[in-house]
Amino acid sequence: MHSELILYQTEDGQTKIQTRLENETVWLSQAQMAELFGKARTTITEHLGNIFKEGELEENSVCRNFRHTANDGKTYDTRYYNLDVIISVGYRVKSLQEQHKNELSKVAQDFVQHLEQTHKQLKNKNNGN
């Protein structure tokens, strides 16, 4: 299993998100999605709950716990969500914002687009294209 870390940073350097690339997809935690989309973590949690409750995605197929070591030296399991979830949350955040005549932030759009392109490139590479 190949795993690597990718750092996404906006041109102005205001937003930096480190994402894990593993098994042909990227993974973000709820906190990272909240930062990416400029929303509270509770908002992300609500969208995630609805995505799974409505059957849009199967939770067991798109979530994974990754173990990491914190600054205090302790090891913790953190739940991460793959690209399919990140895109679904992004669309829901965008939909809510459009209801209030706002657009999804440029940062979030760029990041999701970057992830979609990376995902397509990995699929093509693994399919021999």
Side-chain angles (χ1 to χ4, degrees):
M1 178 182 324
H2 179 71
S3 178
E4 62 184 274
L5 295 177
I6 298 171
L7 180 65
Y8 172 78
Q9 180 176 328
T10 58
E11 288 181 18
D12 62 9
Q14 293 295 317
T15 302
K16 297 178 187 175
I17 298 175
Q18 183 173 302
T19 181
R20 178 184 299 271
L21 177 62
E22 187 171 301
N23 296 335
E24 301 180 22
T25 191
V26 294
W27 299 87
L28 291 180
S29 67
Q30 287 184 18
Q32 290 172 311
M33 281 191 272
E35 180 179 353
L36 172 66
F37 296 118
K39 295 291 180 185
R41 186 171 173 192
T42 54
T43 301
I44 301 303
T45 301
E46 180 181 344
H47 286 305
L48 290 169
N50 290 333
I51 287 167
F52 300 133
K53 185 173 104 180
E54 295 167 8
E56 181 179 339
L57 296 170
E58 177 62 40
E59 188 169 4
N60 293 335
S61 300
V62 295
C63 300
R64 176 159 179 216
N65 287 336
F66 287 103
R67 183 166 286 146
H68 66 91
T69 304
N71 292 337
D72 62 6
K74 294 180 182 177
T75 303
Y76 297 93
D77 282 340
T78 301
R79 191 143 185 94
Y80 283 80
Y81 302 86
N82 75 8
L83 180 60
D84 294 329
V85 179
I86 298 164
I87 292 169
S88 292
V89 169
Y91 286 131
R92 286 171 183 256
V93 168
K94 181 177 181 178
S95 176
L96 284 178
Q97 288 179 334
E98 284 177 345
Q99 291 174 9
H100 297 90
K101 299 188 186 275
N102 291 321
E103 294 182 9
L104 184 61
S105 72
K106 176 106 171 81
V107 173
Q109 288 176 349
D110 290 346
F111 185 75
V112 170
Q113 186 175 44
H114 173 74
L115 294 179
E116 288 174 328
Q117 289 172 352
T118 301
H119 187 69
K120 286 177 187 175
Q121 288 171 352
L122 287 171
K123 276 189 169 179
N124 289 337
K125 179 180 174 183
N126 289 332
N127 291 332
N129 294 331

